Each structure stands twice: as C-alpha cells, then as structure tokens.
C-alpha cells in the first residue's frame, strides 16, 4: 500500500508579521529579508525530497516561500482554497489586546464552538473549511502524487489540519505555527497522521 506524504508549511515572515498587522486573504504581501532567509534554509534542508507537486495559495508570500522548489521544475499549482482566512475590515490593521477587543472576542467565540461566526466583512472558520474541501478532494484524487509540498497560511493551515486529522474545527488553535514551520503528515488511504509537528529545525541557523 502506497503512502501519500504531505509536507505542509506556513509561509515565511513578512513585514506585516513583524509589525503585528493582520494580512488575511486580501493583503498580498511579500516576504521580507528574514522570510527569504527562512525560505532558503527550508529549501536547503528539503531540496533532496522527491516532491511530485508543489501546491500554494494564490498569494505571493506562499509562492515565494517555496520558489526554490518551483525553480527545480517541480510542477506547481496555485489554489485559492489554500488562501488565508479573510479577516474583513481588520485586514491591514495592527491589532493588540488593548486596541481591538472585538477581534479577540471573535477568536474566543470560535474556540467556544461558534465556528460559523464571520468576522466583520470576512469569513468564518467554517467558510474556510468549506472552500478547502475542493482542494482536499483534488489532493486525494491524485494517488500518483505520492509526495507533495503545500505552502499556505497560519489560520487557514490550522483549519486544514483539523480537517485532515478529523478534529473539530473549534480545536484549531491547538495547532501552533511559526513562519516557515513544517507539519509532515502521512495518508494511508483512510486517515492522515502527523509525523512532524511545527518542526523548525531547519531554521536553527537563524536562532
């Protein structure tokens, strides 16, 4: 029985990450110098892996994070289902607990189980899960792609991990993330299992 190996990474650092500004699907930011170095270190650590396909969101920070693999000639496919959650009117704004109680109250309500609650002008976690289903169906319909690299975004990645591992979406915050962190998952034909959890060993030279 063949095993599908999925290398799931979050994009590298952007200036918005550094400044604590919400990006979401509506802010198409680029990697900063730290993010580009994170991408380089990840590529150097995993360029030996025989990836059959690279999947990214349509946002440039996810594409730039795995550009080294694309430059090797590995087939690349962009999918809007992998885009970050839309944070609505909060996108492009700086958020702190003191300045935006509404934002943090929404996050708490999601954790409490209200996953259909949409942030003002944006998406709910359930909306994200619903649009990810098309991508997941496509991924599982391609058994010939035995080893794939997926680069996406923090909140959306948390939702996808819940879907892959059959966790309730309200549990998404248990999946920690760091810029250019790696989750490695194996799919046996019936279920996914995690073999690496928020692995940042490849970034050690930066610490």
């Amino acid at each position: 029985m063949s095993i599908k190996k999925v290398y799931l990474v979050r994009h590298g650092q952007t200036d918005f990450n550094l400044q604590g500004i919400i990006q979401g699907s509506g802010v198409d930011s680029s990697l900063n110098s730290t993010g580009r170095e994170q991408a380089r270190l990840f590529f150097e650590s995993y360029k030996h892996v025989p990836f059959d396909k690279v999947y990214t969101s349509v946002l440039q920070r996810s594409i730039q994070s795995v550009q080294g693999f694309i430059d090797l000639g590995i087939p690349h496919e962009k999918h809007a289902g992998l885009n970050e959650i839309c944070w609505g009117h909060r996108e492009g704004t700086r958020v702190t607990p003191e300045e935006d109680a509404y934002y943090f109250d929404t996050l708490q309500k999601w954790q409490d189980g209200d996953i259909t609650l949409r942030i003002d002008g944006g998406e709910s976690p359930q909306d994200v899960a619903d649009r990810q289903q098309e991508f997941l169906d496509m991924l599982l319909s391609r058994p010939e792609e035995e080893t794939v690299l997926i680069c996406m975004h923090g909140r959306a990645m948390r939702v996808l991990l819940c879907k892959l591992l059959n966790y309730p979406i309200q549990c998404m915050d248990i999946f920690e993330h760091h810029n250019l962190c790696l989750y490695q998952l194996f799919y046996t034909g019936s279920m996914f299992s995690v073999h690496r959890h928020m692995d940042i060993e490849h970034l050690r030279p930066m610490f």
Side-chain angles (χ1 to χ4, degrees), residues 35-64:
R36 292 191 295 272
E37 178 64 6
Q38 290 169 336
R40 187 190 71 80
L41 290 171
F42 179 74
F43 175 73
E44 289 300 320
S45 294
Y46 291 95
K47 63 185 179 182
H48 66 282
V49 177
F51 291 115
D52 297 302
K53 179 68 74 66
V54 176
Y55 290 102
T56 68
S57 76
V58 303
L59 301 171
Q60 62 178 335
R61 58 190 182 271
S62 70
I63 300 168
Q64 291 169 349

Side-chain angles (χ1 to χ4, degrees), residues 61-124:
R61 58 190 182 271
S62 70
I63 300 168
Q64 291 169 349
S65 297
V66 292
Q67 188 64 52
F69 300 92
I70 297 169
D71 290 345
L72 290 178
I74 299 170
H76 169 221
E77 193 167 327
K78 294 179 284 187
H79 201 290
L82 296 174
N83 282 3
E84 179 60 299
I85 191 171
C86 176
W87 290 108
H89 302 315
R90 300 265 56 89
E91 293 187 347
T93 66
R94 191 187 312 275
V95 176
T96 69
E98 297 78 17
E99 293 171 345
D100 203 336
Y102 166 74
Y103 171 79
F104 286 93
D105 181 61
T106 300
L107 297 184
Q108 185 60 55
K109 287 178 178 176
W110 290 348
Q111 291 181 17
D112 293 340
D114 191 359
I115 60 170
T116 62
L117 175 67
R118 294 186 175 100
I119 199 157
D120 190 18
E123 292 181 298
S124 71

